Amino acid sequence: AWGGVLVHPAILMLLLATLVQIAGQFTLFAYLASELRRAAGADAAGVALGLTLFGVAGLLGSILSARFVSRLSAGTTQLLCQGAMATGLAAWSLGAHVLPLALAAVFVLGLGFGGGVSMQQARLIAVAPLLATASVALNTSFLYVGQAGGASLGGALIARGVPDGLGPAGLGLMLVAIALSWAAKRRFGA
């Protein structure tokens, strides 16, 4: 199965989309608590509220994705999830210095993230059911690489004194992930 995954263009494109999507999200998410404090002036309760909002939104995003996937397809639902994450990152980029706006951005980011990973797994299963055990396992590995890459990029921005670049950098990566997901849907029906 592993050999089949490594030569399947739709699977490879979806795996790359996973990596870039998660990198985009983790450019900010890895530093969310400290950025809520720094940028928005949140105290401990504000940081806890932000993380809670992200988690609740993630659950809500998962529920909504599961509800709509049979009507919209996994590919379309995935694109909507990525669109929500891009919107959250854009909102953070514009409003991180105002706590209510920062919290709203975090909620929208979480809303997209909640269904995003499971929709990508559904796409991998649908595009090549016989390769699903390998493709879904590899998707998890690409997810971890994306987390490391996004956190590294975010850390580099902070170390260079450009923490306000976290949102725009994450947004740029998310837009690339959307392009990859859209291309996989259009080219391969994935």
Side-chain angles (χ1 to χ4, degrees):
W2 290 99
V5 165
L6 297 176
V7 297
H8 197 292
I11 290 175
L12 293 174
M13 188 174 284
L14 290 171
L15 291 173
L16 184 57
T18 294
L19 188 150
V20 177
Q21 170 189 311
I22 299 299
Q25 179 193 351
F26 270 74
T27 300
L28 171 62
F29 186 75
Y31 304 98
L32 186 59
S34 62
E35 284 304 297
L36 280 167
R37 284 191 294 274
R38 183 199 66 81
D43 59 9
V47 170
L49 177 60
L51 294 172
T52 300
L53 285 171
F54 184 88
V56 169
L59 175 60
L60 181 59
S62 291
I63 292 167
L64 290 171
S65 293
R67 181 174 176 96
F68 291 111
V69 67
S70 61
R71 279 186 262 173
L72 300 177
S73 83
T76 299
T77 307
Q78 169 69 11
L79 284 165
L80 291 170
C81 290
Q82 289 174 323
M85 287 184 275
T87 301
L89 288 164
W92 178 273
S93 299
L94 297 171
H97 294 284
V98 178
L99 186 57
L101 296 177
L103 293 173
V106 167
F107 183 84
V108 175
L109 182 62
L111 192 64
F113 176 72
V117 173
S118 58
M119 290 302 105
Q120 194 71 319
Q121 290 173 338
R123 293 174 80 184
L124 287 164
I125 293 165
V127 77
L130 296 177
L131 300 175
T133 55
S135 68
V136 170
L138 200 52
N139 190 60
T140 302
S141 296
F142 273 65
L143 186 143
Y144 295 145
V145 172
Q147 289 174 342
S152 295
L153 174 58
L157 289 169
I158 291 168
R160 286 176 174 68
V162 193
D164 287 338
L166 295 175
L171 176 59
L173 289 169
M174 194 61 65
L175 293 175
V176 172
I178 289 169
L180 288 166
S181 289
W182 181 83
K185 184 176 186 329
R186 184 172 170 95
R187 185 169 177 199
F188 304 110

